[in-house]
Amino acid sequence: TLGKLIWGIRAVRINGEAFKFFDGFVRQGGYIAGIAMGTLGFAKILWEPNRQAVQDRIAATVVVKN
């Protein structure tokens, strides 16, 4: 996304496989879950071991610096 490009970060698969279009689609759907949890799903990055928000857990991804 444009925001990730500006911040110099990207989402990658946890298992090392190539990030596919469907992975991005699933991850975007996870944003709905984060909002439904009253934004607590986004705050999970503060205590999750891999710093994963709810959309990352759903899509099996993690955000890393480029």
Side-chain angles (χ1 to χ4, degrees):
T1 62
L2 181 59
K4 285 187 180 49
L5 182 64
I6 291 170
W7 286 99
I9 57 177
R10 63 189 173 105
V12 296
R13 296 282 313 220
I14 290 176
N15 60 8
E17 293 179 4
F19 193 87
K20 298 180 179 95
F21 174 79
F22 185 72
D23 298 323
F25 183 75
V26 170
R27 193 169 184 280
Q28 291 296 324
Y31 284 115
I32 296 169
I35 292 168
M37 295 175 71
T39 65
L40 185 63
F42 301 116
K44 290 179 72 164
I45 64 170
L46 299 173
W47 64 82
E48 284 287 325
N50 289 333
R51 300 284 190 210
Q52 291 174 294
V54 68
Q55 69 272 12
D56 294 314
R57 302 277 296 183
I58 290 170
T61 59
V62 67
V63 176
V64 297
K65 290 186 181 204
N66 280 338

